[in-house]
Amino acid sequence: METATINAIHTFDVAAIRKDFPILNREVKGHPLVYFDNAATSQKPQSVIDALVHYYSFNNANVHRGIHSLAEEATADFEATRDAVKDFINSASREEIIYTRGTTEGINLVAYTWARQNLEKGDEVIISGMEHHSNIVPWQIICEQNEAKLKVIPVNDNGELLMDEYIALLNDRTKLVAVNHVSNAMGTVNPIKEIIQLAHDRGAVVLIDGAQSALHLDIDVQDLDCDFFVFSSHKLLGPTGMGILYGKKDILNAMPVFAGGGEMIKEVTFEKTTYNELPYKFEAGTPNIADAIALKPAIDYINRVGKDNIRRHEDLLLNHATERLRTIDGLQIIGDNDHKVSVLSFVISGVHPQDVGILLDNKGIAVRTGHHCAEPLMNRFCVPGTIRASFALYNTIEEVDKLAEGLIKAVKILR
């Protein structure tokens, strides 16, 4: 990165930051792209794209065990990402950082290893009413198989968890609590430190879905004391198909393996197989090498910008958007509370979210419409879905104003 860009980022010059994201230069249907679908996936800085190209152009080789130069170079870069992730979330050990394909696989790994091994008939798993489907369905499957019970923390009218209800759900049969740090559908930030402590007081294990928080909030897994923390690279300015499962070392060591194959073994005979040490015990087969390598420059970029700077800028965008959209007749914000990161989810009376999304796209404005893989939450608010605008460090106040103007025009057309 050029020095001018580094200095610009130090003072948070959003115009300079935007130059690092090549996709923001394109047009959609004759209009400059306004990308407000960041909760679904973030855009990628040039440094991440360059890392992918560099791997395939200069040291494309399989990692681990190879003694030739390309294999050693690829392995060094591959493992450097693990160290970067360790520091990024303040894990106690690099062995606690497991590579996955994303948040969903991380949750499923825990469900099909720890939960399958530890849940017994009559045990209970607690999730929340604002979970993504990937933090609902795996627990439904395992609870059905192990004859355990799934319980749900209710959500109030402001899109916040009812903590008194959570406390009432906890008991000696509670074995696992799995909640998101931030709601993908509303942006609500949950009090996970309190949630974790209350669960631990009952002897339960806690998994935190950090897919929506890893970019926006400071993550310190040791301070949180969570047992598992999962997130995805592609929501973190990094490539798709790459994710992280953090787990406490003693818990990971006690868990059975997830998938069998190469790398997760120490020795194989037809009579018996012995398994590898952490983290490789859970990383069977040739991994997603290029995308793992390219996660490190994404983390480096975030660290250079600084999460405090990112939060301040995104809060500015969110507050401005909230003020502008409140003036639109018939618009109702879903998850209207003060404990949020950069997501604004809303409905407009008399119009369907999808119709609004299409009209905005005609102006080059990308938003997400639908249930956002949180259908139970939509049912809670008695809506078929919402329009969701989600903001990132490279978005601008001017883009927010374009969104507001586009919504006003859409309402006039659709009503």
Side-chain angles (χ1 to χ4, degrees):
M1 183 179 291
E2 297 179 0
T3 303
T5 308
I6 293 175
N7 291 336
I9 287 178
H10 181 69
T11 57
F12 204 86
D13 183 341
V14 68
I17 288 174
R18 287 176 65 85
K19 292 177 181 178
D20 292 327
F21 293 81
I23 200 170
L24 300 181
N25 295 319
R26 71 159 291 180
E27 292 187 346
V28 172
K29 299 181 179 178
H31 299 272
L33 170 65
V34 175
Y35 186 78
F36 285 152
D37 197 19
N38 296 286
T41 194
S42 62
Q43 297 302 339
K44 321 306 175 191
Q46 189 65 52
S47 58
V48 169
I49 299 167
D50 289 345
L52 291 168
V53 173
H54 182 272
Y55 168 74
Y56 285 123
S57 300
F58 293 101
N59 56 7
N60 177 39
N62 214 326
V63 293
H64 305 132
R65 299 183 304 280
I67 60 170
H68 58 84
S69 295
L70 267 63
E72 290 181 346
E73 291 168 5
T75 299
D77 291 343
F78 181 80
E79 292 298 334
T81 294
R82 204 183 305 271
D83 292 323
V85 172
K86 170 189 172 294
D87 294 339
F88 190 66
I89 64 172
N90 194 33
S91 168
S93 167
R94 71 189 312 275
E95 287 76 24
E96 296 176 322
I97 306 301
I98 310 299
Y99 288 165
T100 67
R101 292 180 297 166
T103 303
T104 298
E105 185 176 57
I107 295 169
N108 276 272
L109 192 159
V110 175
Y112 283 93
T113 56
W114 185 91
R116 178 170 281 172
Q117 181 184 59
N118 289 282
L119 288 184
E120 299 177 353
K121 183 177 180 178
D123 285 344
E124 297 176 359
V125 173
I126 296 176
I127 60 174
S128 87
M130 62 176 71
E131 298 306 317
H132 189 281
H133 294 166
S134 62
N135 203 29
I136 300 173
V137 179
W139 309 120
Q140 289 177 328
I141 294 171
I142 293 300
C143 283
E144 182 178 355
Q145 292 176 348
N146 287 34
E147 299 184 77
K149 297 178 182 179
L150 187 65
K151 295 192 171 182
V152 182
I153 310 167
V155 177
N156 68 19
D157 291 342
N158 295 326
E160 301 165 308
L161 294 181
L162 291 168
M163 291 297 290
D164 288 345
E165 297 286 342
Y166 169 58
I167 293 169
L169 289 175
L170 288 165
N171 60 68
D172 292 340
R173 299 299 290 175
T174 307
K175 292 297 185 290
L176 176 77
V177 175
V179 296
N180 56 36
H181 195 172
V182 171
S183 164
N184 74 299
M186 301 180 298
T188 301
V189 179
N190 288 321
I192 60 168
K193 193 166 184 178
E194 182 183 359
I195 288 170
I196 293 165
Q197 182 59 61
L198 289 167
H200 284 171
D201 288 345
R202 288 290 191 167
V205 167
V206 183
L207 178 144
I208 300 298
D209 173 356
Q212 296 296 333
S213 65
L215 176 58
H216 309 289
L217 302 176
D218 294 322
I219 309 299
D220 184 335
V221 293
Q222 293 188 77
D223 179 63
L224 292 173
D225 197 28
C226 55
D227 302 290
F228 301 104
F229 191 94
V230 291
F231 62 96
S232 298
S233 164
H234 74 97
K235 299 181 191 292
L236 196 69
L237 310 185
T240 58
M242 173 64 190
I244 299 296
L245 163 65
Y246 157 81
K248 290 180 178 176
K249 187 185 290 188
D250 58 338
I251 298 177
L252 292 173
N253 274 323
M255 285 161 48
V257 297
F258 181 47
E263 190 59 32
M264 51 75 66
I265 57 89
K266 276 187 176 179
E267 185 177 273
V268 175
T269 68
F270 286 119
E271 291 72 34
K272 183 175 176 59
T273 294
T274 56
Y275 303 125
N276 208 342
E277 304 294 331
L278 294 174
Y280 311 110
K281 168 184 174 181
F282 295 107
E283 296 178 3
T286 296
N288 187 356
I289 301 167
D291 293 329
I293 289 171
L295 174 56
K296 183 177 183 297
I299 290 173
D300 292 343
Y301 191 92
I302 293 165
N303 288 337
R304 282 197 298 272
V305 176
K307 282 194 178 180
D308 286 344
N309 290 328
I310 292 172
R311 268 196 304 276
R312 280 194 293 269
H313 180 69
E314 291 176 345
D315 285 346
L316 180 69
L317 297 172
L318 179 62
N319 292 336
H320 184 68
T322 302
E323 290 176 7
R324 286 295 312 268
L325 268 58
R326 282 194 198 281
T327 66
I328 297 175
D329 182 46
L331 188 146
Q332 176 191 358
I333 296 171
I334 303 297
D336 195 0
N337 62 71
D338 296 328
H339 307 289
K340 295 178 66 172
V341 294
S342 55
V343 172
L344 194 57
S345 194
F346 54 93
V347 293
I348 303 173
S349 63
V351 299
H352 195 282
Q354 184 173 339
D355 294 333
V356 176
I358 291 170
L359 290 178
L360 290 175
D361 183 60
N362 289 337
K363 298 294 184 182
I365 302 170
V367 297
R368 180 70 51 159
T369 63
H371 56 59
H372 317 298
C373 294
E375 200 166 354
L377 183 67
M378 299 297 111
N379 294 336
R380 158 65 180 83
F381 285 98
C382 302
V383 296
T386 69
I387 305 155
R388 184 185 71 187
S390 48
F391 313 113
L393 69 166
Y394 40 70
N395 291 128
T396 67
I397 290 291
E398 292 74 20
E399 289 180 322
V400 171
D401 289 336
K402 286 183 180 180
L403 170 65
E405 292 160 7
L407 287 169
I408 291 169
K409 291 178 181 178
V411 169
K412 288 180 180 178
I413 292 170
L414 294 169
R415 279 184 177 163

